Amino acid sequence: MKKIEAIIRKSKYRAVKEALHAVGVNFFSYWDVTGLGNEKEGHVYRGVSYSTSDIQRRYLSIVVNDDFEEVTIKALLDSAATGEVGDGKIFVSDVSEVYRIRTGEKGSDTLK
């Protein structure tokens, strides 16, 4: 099993959610986060441009069986990209075990 964590633009969240559902990833968690990166986001107020270093993003945490890793990553890459600096990052790590709290069942079947 793999844990896929993605940091994406908030504006791309709906497209990412639809892409994940289209490939069969129907459960994930997300949070609104603030981060620092290479992108410099600016705001204009009354004709004056203000530069801010804090950038609003959405953080997704997805756990999938090994056979869903590549399709999940492809869905994220295709739907979250704008081609500009600041599109985000994807992190992949191994998950050693998963338990379903309701039944105590464990293993990859708990993700279905």
Side-chain angles (χ1 to χ4, degrees):
M1 292 172 282
K2 301 292 183 187
K3 181 176 186 180
I4 301 170
E5 297 167 295
I7 300 171
I8 63 169
R9 296 176 184 272
K10 287 177 101 172
S11 62
K12 298 299 282 182
Y13 174 72
R14 172 171 265 150
V16 168
K17 180 176 74 168
E18 291 170 359
L20 290 172
H21 286 304
V23 297
V25 176
N26 296 311
F27 177 82
F28 60 89
S29 299
Y30 69 91
W31 299 264
D32 288 332
V33 297
T34 303
L36 300 171
N38 292 328
E39 179 187 23
K40 300 299 179 211
E41 194 171 275
H43 298 283
V44 176
Y45 178 71
R46 295 188 179 188
V48 178
S49 180
Y50 295 92
S51 177
T52 61
S53 58
D54 296 338
I55 302 169
Q56 299 297 310
R57 293 288 181 256
R58 190 146 285 169
Y59 178 95
L60 284 68
S61 177
I62 310 161
V63 178
V64 296
N65 286 317
D66 290 336
D67 57 338
F68 266 81
E69 177 184 3
E70 292 302 319
V71 296
T72 303
I73 292 170
K74 182 169 179 7
L76 288 166
L77 290 171
D78 292 345
S79 61
T82 66
E84 301 293 326
V85 172
D87 279 348
K89 298 274 191 277
I90 298 172
F91 308 96
V92 180
S93 54
D94 291 321
V95 173
S96 61
E97 196 61 80
V98 176
Y99 293 86
R100 179 171 287 142
I101 294 174
R102 178 176 50 87
T103 62
E105 174 184 17
K106 72 177 188 174
S108 60
D109 288 339
T110 62
L111 298 177
K112 296 180 182 176

